Amino acid sequence: MPFQVALIAALLKVALILGSTLVVVPMLVWLERKLIAAFQARIGPDRVGKFGLLQSFVDGIKLVCKEEVVPNGVDRLLYFAGPVVTMIPALTVGALIPFGPPVKIGGYTHDLVMSDLPVGALFVLAITSLGVYGIVLSGWSSNNKYSLLGGLRASAQMVSYELPMGLCVVAALMIASQDSPTGVFSMRFSEIVDAQSGTILNWTAFNYHFPLLGLLAMVVFYICGLAETNRAPFDLPEAETELIGGYHTEYGGLRWAMFFMGEYAAMLNVASVTATLFLGGWRPPYPSPLPAGSVLAGFEGAFWLVFKIGLVILLYMWIRATLPRLRYDQLMGFGWKILIPVGLLNIFLIAGILTFAFPEKAPSVLVPAITSASSRAPAPPSMPGGMGGIQQLQIPGGTGPTPTAPPVAPSPAPGAPGVGGR
Amino acid sequence: MTVPNHYYLILSAVLFTLGSTGVLTRKNPIVIFMCIELMLNAVNLAFVTFSRARGGFDGQIYAMFVMTVAAAEVAVGLAIIVSIFRERRNIDVDDVSELKG
Amino acid sequence: MALMAFGVLATLSVISALGVILHKSPVRSALLLVTNFVGLAGLYLLQNAQVLAVFQILVYAGAIMVLFLFVIMLLNLAGDTSPDPLAGQKWVAWLLGVALVGGIGWGMWSVAGLSLPVSPQGIRATAAEQQGIQQVQVIGFDLFTRYVYPFELTSVLLLVGVIGVMTLTRRIPQGGSANDRS
C-alpha cells in the first residue's frame, strides 16, 4: 500500500472514531435523560428538536457560552489541567477497537481498526487506569473539602476495581486462546475477535466450552466497568447528596462539560471493550453470508458492534435507574471480598477446563514451539551446526562471538522445556 | 538509525543520580520514597537496555520483578508513613529519628 | 528519527526528574514523577519493549502513583517548611551526586565502543520472532518456566506486603492501643 493511501485511510479512521465519539456522547446524554424519565414516569426533555433530540447540543452551546468562574485559592495549573487529563484517556481507547472485517477498497485491503497493538488488551487497562488522574487532580486543586473527598474516594475506588477488571480480562483471553486460529494466547484485539467467529456460541460470554464461566467473567467485568466510570451505584466520587458534586463541584461552563463528556466517553469505552472481549466484537451472531472483504461486510460488522455497545449502555442506564448508591465501606468490601475472589476462582475453573478438556492445546504442548525455536532457526545449510545463525544475529559492529556463547546456544530438545538458561 | 546503547545507559546513570540526590536532600519521607522509585526506574531502564543489547527478554523480566517489589515496598512504606503521621501529625524525617513509639 | 525521539524523551525524563527532587509541593513532585514514568515508558517502546512499556504505565502510573497521591491528599501534606538543621548537607549531597554521575558516566562511556555478545536466550527469542511468535508469548513463557520460582516468591512477597499493611494501619478499637498515647 503506498504511503499516501495509508495516510488517507488512517486520517479517515481517526476522523471517524473521534467524530463518532464526539457525536454519540451528546446523544447518550439525551438517551439517558429520556430513559430515566421514562423509568420515573416523567416525560424528559422534549422542547428542542423532535423528541428533544437536540437538547444536549443546545446544552453544550449554553455551557460554552457561560462565564468561566475560577474560585479563589485554587492551584491554577492543576485546576485547568484536570478536565483535559480526564478527556485524553477517554478518547484514546477507541483507537484500539476493531469495528469491522478487513475491507477491500480500490485494490487495497484496509483493516477497520485504528491501531491493532499486540498488547491491546493490556494497553486498554493501562489507559483506563490513567483516567483517575483527572479526577484526583481536580479534586486536589479545587481547594474544597468536598472536591478533595471526591478525589480521595475516586483514587481508592479505581485502584481497587482495576484488579478484578484485570482478572476478567485474563479470563476472556484464556477463553479466546482456546478458540483462536493460531492456538496461542494473544492480547491483540483483532485476534480476540477472530477467536469468537462463528455463531453466538463462540462468543466469549456464551462459549459452549465454558458454560457460564464466560458470562460470569463478563458480569464481573461489567460491574468493575461501572465502578471505573463512576456510574451509579458506584458514583461515590460525585455523589451529589453527600459531596455536592464531588470532584467537579468547583467547575463550571466548558470545563464542567469536559468532565461530563469524559465520563460518557469512558462509558462508551468500557462498553466497546466489553463488546469486543466478551460479545464477539463486530462478529454477527450468525456465520456471515456476505463475501469476505466486501464493503457491505464492513458495514455489517460496524452495525453489530454498535448494536452490542448500545445494549451494554442501555444496561448501564437501567442499572442507574434501579439501584441505590452503595455506602463507601460496602463498595470497598464488595470489590475486595467478592469480586476479586470470584475473578480468581473463575480463572482457576477456566484453567481447569483448558487443561483437562483441551490437552492438545495445553501450554506444555505449545511450548516446544518456543523452546525449540533456536534449533529450527534459519541457518545457511552450508554451515555446520547452528554457528551461521549465531553469527548473523550478532549485533552490528560486534567483535565476533565470545567463546561461551555458541556451546550454550542450542536449546534442549522439545519435550524438555524450561531447562534453557538455568 | 538506532540509538546507541550507551546513550540509554548514561541517561539511566543521570536519572539514578538525580534520585539518590533527592533522597539525600529532601526531608519529606513521601518525596524520599518517590526518589527511590526514580532510582528503581533508572535501573529498569538499564535492564531493558542490556536486554535489548543481548537479545532476549531476561532484562525485561527482571524489570517486571523490580516493579512488583516496588509496588509491595511502596504499600508498606506508605502505611508506615500514615501510621507515623497519625501519631505525631508531622512526618519530617529529621523529627522521626528515634525508634521509640 | 529514533535519535530525535530519544532526545525528546530523555530531556522530558531528566527535566521531570529534576522537578521531582526540587519542587516544594509533594503533589507537584508526584505528578512530575508520573511524567517521568511516561517518558520512560516511551523509552521502553523505543527499545521495542512494548509489554514492559504498558506495564510501566499500568503499574507505576496507574497504581503506585495513585497510591502516593492518595496518601499525600489524605495527610494533606505541605512542602518542607521547617528550617533544615544541617543546611550545608544539601551542597554536599549535590556534590556527591555530581561525583556519582561522573563516575557511572565515565564507566559507561569507557565501554561505549564494546558490543555485547548475544545471549542464548537472545538467539532463541530472535528465532521465535522469526516464526511469528509474539514478544508477549515469549515473555510469558519465560516467566512461567525459567523464572517460575522468583515469580512465586514475588507473589508471597506481595501477600506479606498486604498483610503487613493491614496490620500497620489497622486502628485498634477502644483503648489499650499502642498508637494511642494522649
Side-chain angles (χ1 to χ4, degrees):
Chain A
M1 193 186 304
F3 176 70
Q4 292 90 337
V5 177
L7 184 70
I8 291 173
L11 286 178
L12 278 178
K13 281 187 253 180
V14 172
L16 184 67
I17 293 170
L18 267 187
S20 55
T21 309
L22 293 178
V23 171
V24 163
V25 164
M27 299 305 292
L28 281 180
V29 178
W30 169 81
L31 182 66
E32 172 146 33
R33 290 182 65 179
K34 269 293 197 197
L35 269 180
I36 300 283
F39 276 115
Q40 298 169 349
R42 293 185 285 118
I43 296 174
D46 68 341
R47 294 289 118 179
V48 194
K50 193 82 178 153
F51 308 118
L53 258 173
L54 298 176
Q55 181 70 44
S56 303
F57 296 96
V58 178
D59 281 344
I61 294 171
K62 181 197 79 175
L63 285 170
V64 172
C65 297
K66 269 190 155 179
E67 185 193 355
E68 299 279 348
V69 181
V70 181
N72 270 337
V74 298
D75 188 333
R76 289 185 80 88
L77 180 68
L78 301 185
Y79 179 81
F80 292 135
V84 182
V85 175
T86 314
M87 281 294 277
I88 293 172
L91 293 179
T92 312
V93 175
L96 291 155
I97 306 293
F99 53 92
V103 169
K104 262 206 178 75
I105 299 173
Y108 303 110
T109 309
H110 302 280
D111 292 327
L112 290 189
V113 54
M114 185 57 231
S115 77
D116 198 17
L117 295 182
V119 286
L122 207 55
F123 187 77
V124 164
L125 279 180
I127 290 295
T128 322
S129 68
L130 288 186
V132 69
Y133 277 103
I135 296 176
V136 171
L137 286 190
S138 46
W140 163 265
S141 62
S142 291
N143 192 24
N144 175 326
K145 59 185 169 194
Y146 298 112
S147 301
L148 184 67
L149 276 175
L152 274 174
R153 284 182 176 187
S155 55
Q157 170 179 336
M158 288 195 165
V159 170
S160 304
Y161 277 77
E162 243 163 53
L163 302 175
M165 201 173 198
L167 292 177
C168 293
V169 171
V170 171
L173 294 179
M174 285 169 86
I175 293 178
S177 78
Q178 191 278 317
D179 266 345
S180 86
T182 50
V184 281
F185 205 93
S186 174
M187 291 200 258
R188 201 186 275 278
F189 270 124
S190 62
E191 288 179 24
I192 295 171
V193 174
D194 284 345
Q196 305 180 59
S197 63
T199 63
I200 193 167
L201 289 180
N202 294 87
W203 295 0
T204 304
F206 309 112
N207 196 304
Y208 59 97
H209 295 303
F210 306 89
L212 294 182
L213 296 181
L215 196 61
L216 179 65
M218 185 176 91
V219 170
V220 175
F221 185 88
Y222 188 81
I223 296 173
C224 299
L226 286 176
E228 290 282 315
T229 50
N230 296 324
R231 291 281 305 181
F234 302 122
D235 56 346
L236 285 107
E238 46 189 306
E240 64 273 11
T241 40
E242 311 165 22
L243 297 182
I244 309 179
Y247 56 90
H248 54 60
T249 305
E250 297 288 359
Y251 285 85
L254 187 58
R255 280 188 272 278
W256 182 83
M258 284 173 85
F259 274 122
F260 207 62
M261 292 277 286
E263 189 179 320
Y264 276 83
M267 193 164 105
L268 200 60
N269 290 335
V270 172
S272 43
V273 174
T274 312
T276 307
L277 282 180
F278 295 98
L279 297 177
W282 51 265
R283 294 268 173 194
Y286 47 83
S288 174
L290 299 171
S294 70
V295 179
L296 212 56
F299 277 113
E300 188 197 28
F303 166 76
W304 280 105
L305 182 69
V306 170
F307 180 74
K308 291 167 187 173
I309 293 176
L311 278 187
V312 178
I313 287 185
L314 274 184
L315 203 57
Y316 263 109
M317 297 171 178
W318 190 359
I319 287 179
R320 176 177 163 191
T322 309
L323 292 178
R325 185 179 300 129
L326 267 67
R327 231 172 40 222
Y328 199 69
D329 57 321
Q330 290 171 333
L331 170 95
M332 282 293 166
F334 186 62
W336 286 96
K337 292 181 195 157
I338 295 179
L339 290 185
I340 291 181
V342 166
L344 279 175
L345 185 72
N346 197 14
I347 288 184
F348 186 73
L349 291 177
I350 291 172
I353 292 181
L354 273 180
T355 315
F356 293 114
F358 303 98
E360 80 280 1
K361 289 207 171 181
S364 59
V365 180
L366 293 171
V367 150
I370 298 178
T371 32
S372 64
S374 70
S375 54
R376 278 186 271 147
S382 60
M383 296 272 209
M387 287 295 288
I390 292 165
Q391 275 167 351
Q392 280 180 340
L393 291 169
Q394 199 69 31
I395 288 180
T399 52
T402 58
T404 51
V408 200
S411 307
V419 199
R422 279 201 169 257
Chain B
M1 98 179 253
T2 57
V3 185
N5 286 333
H6 60 274
Y7 283 25
Y8 287 107
L9 295 177
I10 288 172
L11 175 64
S12 151
V14 170
L15 290 179
F16 186 87
T17 311
L18 283 175
S20 59
T21 313
V23 171
L24 292 177
T25 51
R26 295 302 295 261
K27 291 193 300 174
N28 187 329
I30 290 191
V31 179
I32 291 179
F33 248 114
M34 289 186 214
C35 294
I36 292 175
E37 293 304 311
L38 199 57
M39 292 161 77
L40 288 173
N41 270 277
V43 173
N44 276 356
L45 182 61
F47 267 134
V48 174
T49 308
F50 282 123
S51 163
R52 188 190 62 152
R54 300 209 62 195
F57 304 115
D58 297 68
Q60 294 189 33
I61 292 175
Y62 269 92
M64 282 178 199
F65 284 131
V66 172
M67 282 184 195
T68 326
V69 174
E73 169 230 322
V74 165
V76 175
L78 290 179
I80 292 175
I81 290 175
V82 168
S83 48
I84 291 176
F85 185 84
R86 269 195 199 148
E87 187 165 334
R88 43 177 79 203
R89 301 277 123 197
N90 176 23
I91 48 164
D92 247 22
V93 275
D94 289 331
D95 303 337
V96 196
S97 51
E98 75 250 23
L99 280 173
K100 278 185 290 184
Chain C
M1 183 61 198
L3 206 59
M4 222 161 71
F6 173 82
V8 172
L9 290 169
T11 321
L12 177 75
S13 34
V14 169
I15 290 179
S16 53
L18 263 177
V20 171
I21 65 173
L22 290 179
H23 214 291
K24 285 261 184 301
S25 142
V27 173
R28 293 288 175 90
S29 285
L31 293 172
L32 283 164
L33 193 56
V34 175
T35 320
N36 184 35
F37 288 164
V38 172
L40 282 176
L43 286 171
Y44 295 160
L45 272 185
L46 207 55
Q47 306 211 49
N48 200 20
Q50 305 120 5
V51 187
L52 199 66
V54 177
F55 266 20
Q56 171 88 4
I57 303 278
L58 185 65
V59 176
Y60 265 119
I64 294 184
M65 291 318 293
V66 176
L67 200 60
F68 268 109
L69 279 176
F70 180 81
V71 171
I72 295 172
M73 284 163 64
L74 187 73
L75 306 184
N76 216 344
L77 292 176
D80 300 348
T81 44
S82 61
D84 206 333
L86 287 171
Q89 213 178 14
K90 272 195 178 154
W91 298 106
V92 181
W94 280 101
L95 274 180
L96 284 176
V98 171
L100 184 62
V101 77
I104 303 178
W106 178 75
M108 297 294 180
W109 193 260
S110 62
V111 298
L114 302 181
S115 76
L116 296 162
V118 175
S119 67
Q121 282 78 39
I123 293 165
R124 210 193 56 196
T126 317
E129 203 172 356
Q130 281 164 358
Q131 290 187 351
I133 299 175
Q134 292 171 13
Q135 193 183 4
V136 190
Q137 287 149 3
V138 180
I139 289 181
F141 169 73
D142 274 350
L143 204 56
F144 285 101
T145 51
R146 289 171 39 231
Y147 289 97
V148 70
Y149 294 117
F151 185 81
E152 294 297 329
L153 274 181
T154 322
S155 68
V156 174
L157 176 76
L158 284 176
L159 184 65
V160 172
V162 168
I163 296 173
V165 169
M166 287 175 65
T167 341
L168 273 173
T169 51
R170 194 171 58 111
R171 282 182 207 263
I172 299 163
Q174 295 302 317
S177 151
N179 284 351
D180 189 338
R181 33 149 235 193
S182 56

